[in-house]
Amino acid sequence: MPESDADLRAASETAVRQCLDLQPDESLVVVTDDKRERIGEALYEVASEVTDDATIVRYPPGNQHGEEPPAPVAAAMNSCDAFLAPTTKSLSHTRARGDACDAGARGATLPGITEEVFVTGLDADYDDIYDHSAAMLDAVGDADELRVTTEKGTDITFVRGDREWLADTGAIADAGSFSNLPAGEIFLSPASATGTYVVDGTMMPHGLLDEGQELRFEVEDGYVTEISDDDIREQVEAAAEEVGDDAYNLAEIGIGTNVGVTDLVGSVLLDEKAAGTVHIAIGDDAGIGGDTDAPLHLDGIIREPTVYADGEEVDLPRP
């Protein structure tokens, strides 16, 4: 069911006024496509009330994540103070987005966003999310080891090495800064990991898992060695034909800090941000502090984890 105009407006207010902190003397470009037009128009309407220099550009949906947008779209992103990009396929890792931020523009991509995810993920106080993220960084940031367990069978230990935890808080008020929206997580590309993790939340290509459905992964010395699910195993095997063992890289451990997300909905973009969850990813980590380039990044969300930092249990934020 489509979201109401009022709900779309409320989410847009959060994105434009709180996350971006758009100012009256600044320019903003909304980049959208034919499938995300209603979200784009809602963002444009709110931005137009803040500044007289707001623009919306729309183009046909791309064919794959990371595909470069048309040249006029890239030029618009490169010449503004701020941008918001609700698109069907992700612009996060495009040259257009990177060049825009290098030129001083700040902004957020909203890859694959739906109206439900937009309204749910931005119906939150992002100052609160920032505080929860900062508290989690304080709790785990200096730990050498992080252990995650669940009653479903997860028991995996991550070694930080010389890697640094990063935060995605939705705070994009500084020139050149960048975020996904909805936001709300801290994450690490670990130096190594060993153990077992059991996904019981959301993971592509399945989306939201059915009650009792569980995906089991065995990990040794930073690589996934066994995958219980045929569909996911086939994805990783296909990537391995291109990049070898790098496809099996244990890429990420993340902790959700968005206390506005009370239920998983089947969108990785939103569900990995849900407070009280952990997500673990396979594949590429080059963009998050690692050194592995792979043509996939598969996040699996884990419900009700217990997290230990150097043996001490950590209090996770809760909705």
Side-chain angles (χ1 to χ4, degrees):
M1 177 180 294
E3 299 292 334
S4 71
D5 290 344
D7 286 341
L8 290 177
R9 179 181 177 82
S12 297
E13 293 270 1
T14 300
V16 171
R17 297 182 186 274
Q18 187 171 31
C19 295
L20 269 182
D21 191 25
L22 186 67
Q23 299 298 307
D25 61 347
E26 292 185 308
S27 60
L28 176 131
V29 173
V30 175
V31 176
T32 191
D33 60 41
D34 298 341
K35 293 184 177 180
R36 301 295 184 265
E37 180 181 8
R38 194 159 176 249
I39 296 172
E41 291 287 353
L43 289 165
Y44 171 73
E45 180 179 336
V46 171
S48 297
E49 295 170 3
V50 177
T51 176
D52 292 332
D53 195 358
T55 304
I56 183 168
V57 294
R58 192 184 85 195
Y59 66 103
N63 295 313
Q64 60 188 2
H65 295 299
E67 180 180 342
E68 294 296 324
V73 174
M77 295 174 68
N78 200 52
S79 59
C80 64
D81 294 310
F83 63 87
L84 292 167
T87 55
T88 303
K89 299 299 183 180
S90 177
L91 297 181
S92 300
H93 301 290
T94 60
R95 292 189 303 276
R97 197 284 302 167
D99 290 347
C101 289
D102 287 344
R106 67 187 191 279
T109 56
L110 297 82
I113 194 77
T114 65
E115 292 181 17
E116 178 188 16
V117 170
F118 183 60
V119 168
T120 302
L122 286 159
D123 182 19
D125 184 337
Y126 271 73
D127 290 335
D128 197 25
I129 291 171
Y130 181 91
D131 291 342
H132 283 297
S133 300
M136 289 308 306
L137 286 175
D138 285 342
V140 305
D142 293 331
D144 293 321
E145 291 189 347
L146 195 81
R147 182 185 177 203
V148 179
T149 66
T150 69
E151 294 183 358
K152 300 287 183 67
T154 294
D155 192 343
I156 183 169
T157 298
F158 303 87
V159 178
R160 179 169 62 90
D162 61 357
R163 307 285 177 83
E164 295 293 330
W165 283 87
L166 303 174
D168 180 19
T169 66
I172 40 180
D174 295 332
S177 59
F178 170 69
S179 177
N180 274 153
L181 289 178
E185 65 169 302
I186 67 166
F187 53 96
L188 171 76
S189 173
S192 187
T194 296
T196 301
Y197 71 97
V198 181
V199 175
D200 60 347
T202 297
M203 190 167 188
M204 298 304 292
H206 302 289
L208 185 64
L209 301 183
D210 296 330
E211 186 174 352
Q213 184 180 7
E214 298 171 2
L215 312 175
R216 189 179 186 91
F217 302 82
E218 301 293 339
V219 182
E220 186 174 345
D221 294 331
Y223 290 90
V224 176
T225 56
E226 294 183 30
I227 301 172
S228 69
D229 182 78
D230 292 340
D231 292 333
I232 295 171
R233 188 186 318 111
E234 289 172 5
Q235 285 189 72
V236 179
E237 287 174 348
E241 293 179 2
E242 180 180 340
V243 297
D245 288 345
D246 283 351
Y248 295 90
N249 178 53
L250 198 290
E252 178 187 5
I253 168 67
I255 301 173
T257 60
N258 189 325
V259 292
V261 182
T262 57
D263 296 295
L264 304 188
V265 301
S267 162
V268 171
L269 174 67
L270 180 66
D271 293 352
E272 69 176 1
K273 313 301 193 320
T277 68
V278 157
H279 56 278
I280 297 173
I282 306 169
D284 186 87
D285 63 14
I288 58 171
D291 53 16
T292 298
D293 285 300
L296 79 169
H297 182 91
L298 299 176
D299 289 285
I301 289 88
I302 298 169
R303 302 175 187 264
E304 299 181 7
T306 302
V307 176
Y308 304 88
D310 284 342
E312 296 292 326
E313 185 173 346
V314 175
D315 289 330
L316 301 181
R318 301 290 178 180

